[in-house]
Amino acid sequence: MALPAPITELVEQLQRLPGIGAKSAQRLAFHVLRTPREDAERLCEAIRGVKERVTYCSTCNNITDADPCTYCTNPGRDQRLICVVEEPQNVSVVEKTGGFKGAYHVLMGVLSPLQGVGPDDLKIKGLLSRVGDGQVDEVIVATNPTVEGEATALYLARLLKPLGVRVTRIAMGIPVGSDLEYADEITMGRAMDGRREF
Amino acid sequence: MALPAPITELVEQLQRLPGIGAKSAQRLAFHVLRTPREDAERLCEAIRGVKERVTYCSTCNNITDADPCTYCTNPGRDQRLICVVEEPQNVSVVEKTGGFKGAYHVLMGVLSPLQGVGPDDLKIKGLLSRVGDGQVDEVIVATNPTVEGEATALYLARLLKPLGVRVTRIAMGIPVGSDLEYADEITMGRAMDGRREF
C-alpha cells in the first residue's frame, strides 16, 4: 500500500524542482499537509504571482515587474556603463557589492557549442544595438570564469571593440578571506597575472 | 535596488518550508520563473490537492483520501496486530519492509514535557479504545528510539498491559550494513542487551 494519491502527486511535482530529491520532496509534502491552509494558499499565490507579474526588461533582459526595468530608467544610474551577466540572478550578486551604479545587460545564457547554444540563442543583438547607438562608454563583461563564460567574454569583446567602446573583464584571482593553500593552479596563475602595484 | 516584488514574495514563502534556506529559496524562485506556466500550475494544484483531499483516518489517524483508510479496512491486514508510530510518514517506513501485515495507530506526536506535549495532546485515547474492545492481540510500539520516543513507549506499555494485550517494542541495535566502529555506546549497549541465540 502506498501514500494517498494527492501526496504522491505533490511529491512528484516537488521532485521536479532543482535540488529537491525524493526524501526532501516527501518531507516538504508532509509539511504542506501539516501547514495551515492559508500558508499553502499564500505559497500558491506567490508562485502564480511570479508567473503572471514578472517579465523581462525589453532593454536589458533583466527580470522586472515594470518594463523597462528600474535599472534602465533610474536617472541615478549611469547608462553609459553596462555590466554584462549571464543570468538575471547574477544581477543581484553585482548589486550586493553596492559599488556599481551603471546599467546591466543579461545574455540569458552563455555560448556552449556542446549544448547547442550559439550566438543567436543569446541576447547579443540587443547589446550591440545599445552600444552601437554611441550611448555607451564601457562594457564590463561579468560572465562566469568558466570555459563557456570565458569564450563568451572573448566573443563579445571581438564584437564590441570595433564599435569604439571600452570592453573590460572582471578580475579573477584568490577569493577574499580564502587561503592560497586552497587555490587551484589556474586561479593562482590568474592572481599572479592580474597583480597590481601598491 | 532589489528583485521584483513577486520574486521576493515567493522567496519569502519558500523560505518558510523546512530545509529551504535563503539561497535555495532564491534558486527555486528563479526556477519557477523559467519553468513553463503549466508546470507551475501543476505544482499549485498538487499543493491544493493535498490540502483539500487528504484527511486523517478516524480510526488510526494515518493520512488518507478515504476514511477509514485502507490499512483499517483491507481484509488482507491483521486488525489484531497494531503498530504504533509517532507520525504519518513513519507508516511508509514500516510498509517498505514488506513484512508487516497488521494495522497502524499514529500518535500524531510524542510525549515531550519540555515542549508542552502531554498525553492529552496525543491520539492515545483512540488506541486505548481499540485495544479495550478486545479485538487486539499485540501492540508493537515503534516510536523513535529517542528520549521522548522511549518515554512515550514506556507510558503506553503501562497503560496497555493492564488491558491484557501483548505490548512489544521494536529492537534497537547496530544498523545493518554499518560498522561497530561507528556505533555510539548506548546503541552498542542496546545491541548487546538485545542479543539472540543462533
Side-chain angles (χ1 to χ4, degrees):
Chain A
M1 290 202 222
L3 293 168
I7 295 266
T8 315
E9 166 68 10
L10 180 55
V11 169
E12 255 166 47
Q13 292 301 327
L14 288 169
Q15 271 190 265
R16 301 174 60 141
L17 299 175
I20 307 281
K23 284 250 173 183
S24 308
Q26 187 168 328
R27 201 183 57 232
L28 287 172
F30 274 103
H31 172 84
V32 168
L33 182 68
R34 274 195 311 268
T35 215
R37 184 178 290 249
E38 308 83 71
D39 286 15
E41 204 43 57
R42 251 198 299 272
L43 175 59
C44 286
E45 283 313 313
I47 291 171
R48 281 225 179 96
V50 163
K51 296 312 290 178
E52 279 164 17
R53 285 160 45 209
V54 180
T55 52
Y56 298 96
C57 174
S58 54
T59 304
C60 74
N61 312 307
N62 189 19
I63 49 166
T64 177
D65 43 4
D67 183 19
C69 77
T70 45
Y71 298 110
C72 291
T73 52
N74 187 330
R77 304 205 58 125
D78 181 2
Q79 301 293 328
R80 303 191 68 83
L81 175 62
I82 293 182
C83 177
V84 175
V85 294
E86 293 180 16
E87 304 286 350
Q89 56 265 46
N90 301 146
V91 169
S92 26
V93 181
V94 178
E95 280 300 296
K96 275 196 198 128
T97 67
F100 181 71
K101 292 291 170 212
Y104 288 96
H105 193 86
V106 182
L107 294 174
M108 301 305 274
V110 72
L111 291 179
S112 175
L114 283 177
Q115 294 184 15
V117 183
D120 292 341
D121 301 311
L122 304 181
K123 304 289 188 184
I124 293 176
K125 240 177 250 169
L127 176 62
L128 294 180
S129 83
R130 287 173 82 182
V131 172
D133 291 348
Q135 307 290 316
V136 177
D137 295 328
E138 178 178 352
V139 174
I140 304 173
V141 184
T143 53
N144 287 320
T146 56
V147 174
E148 289 90 354
E150 285 289 276
T152 309
L154 280 172
Y155 180 85
L156 289 180
R158 253 192 305 239
L159 284 179
L160 291 168
K161 273 188 167 175
L163 301 177
V165 72
R166 193 175 167 218
V167 187
T168 56
R169 180 86 173 104
I170 51 166
M172 275 150 261
I174 312 294
V176 178
S178 177
D179 195 308
L180 294 194
E181 200 78 30
Y182 306 120
D184 62 285
E185 62 267 34
I186 300 173
T187 301
M188 191 63 219
R190 291 300 189 103
M192 298 292 277
D193 290 348
R195 68 190 179 279
R196 292 163 61 167
E197 264 184 75
F198 285 98
Chain B
M1 289 201 222
L3 293 169
I7 295 265
T8 315
E9 165 69 9
L10 179 55
V11 169
E12 255 166 48
Q13 293 302 326
L14 288 169
Q15 270 191 266
R16 303 173 58 140
L17 300 174
I20 308 281
K23 285 250 173 184
S24 309
Q26 186 167 330
R27 203 183 56 233
L28 288 171
F30 275 102
H31 172 86
V32 168
L33 183 68
R34 274 194 310 270
T35 214
R37 184 178 290 251
E38 310 82 71
D39 287 15
E41 204 43 57
R42 252 199 298 273
L43 175 58
C44 286
E45 282 313 312
I47 292 171
R48 283 229 174 93
V50 163
K51 296 311 291 178
E52 279 164 16
R53 286 159 46 209
V54 181
T55 52
Y56 298 96
C57 174
S58 54
T59 304
C60 74
N61 313 308
N62 189 18
I63 50 165
T64 178
D65 44 4
D67 183 18
C69 77
T70 44
Y71 298 110
C72 290
T73 52
N74 187 330
R77 304 205 59 126
D78 182 1
Q79 301 293 329
R80 305 191 67 81
L81 176 62
I82 293 181
C83 177
V84 176
V85 293
E86 294 180 16
E87 303 286 350
Q89 55 263 49
N90 300 146
V91 169
S92 25
V93 182
V94 178
E95 280 301 293
K96 275 197 198 125
T97 67
F100 181 71
K101 293 292 171 214
Y104 289 96
H105 193 86
V106 182
L107 294 175
M108 300 305 274
V110 71
L111 292 180
S112 175
L114 282 177
Q115 294 185 13
V117 182
D120 292 341
D121 301 310
L122 304 180
K123 303 289 188 184
I124 293 177
K125 241 178 249 171
L127 176 62
L128 293 181
S129 83
R130 285 172 83 182
V131 173
D133 292 348
Q135 307 289 317
V136 178
D137 294 328
E138 179 179 351
V139 174
I140 305 174
V141 185
T143 53
N144 287 319
T146 56
V147 174
E148 289 90 353
E150 285 289 276
T152 309
L154 281 172
Y155 180 84
L156 289 180
R158 253 194 303 242
L159 284 178
L160 290 167
K161 273 189 165 173
L163 301 176
V165 72
R166 193 176 165 217
V167 186
T168 57
R169 180 84 174 106
I170 51 166
M172 275 150 261
I174 313 293
V176 177
S178 177
D179 194 309
L180 294 195
E181 201 77 32
Y182 306 119
D184 62 285
E185 62 266 34
I186 299 175
T187 301
M188 190 64 217
R190 291 300 189 103
M192 297 292 277
D193 289 348
R195 69 190 179 278
R196 292 162 60 164
E197 264 184 75
F198 285 98

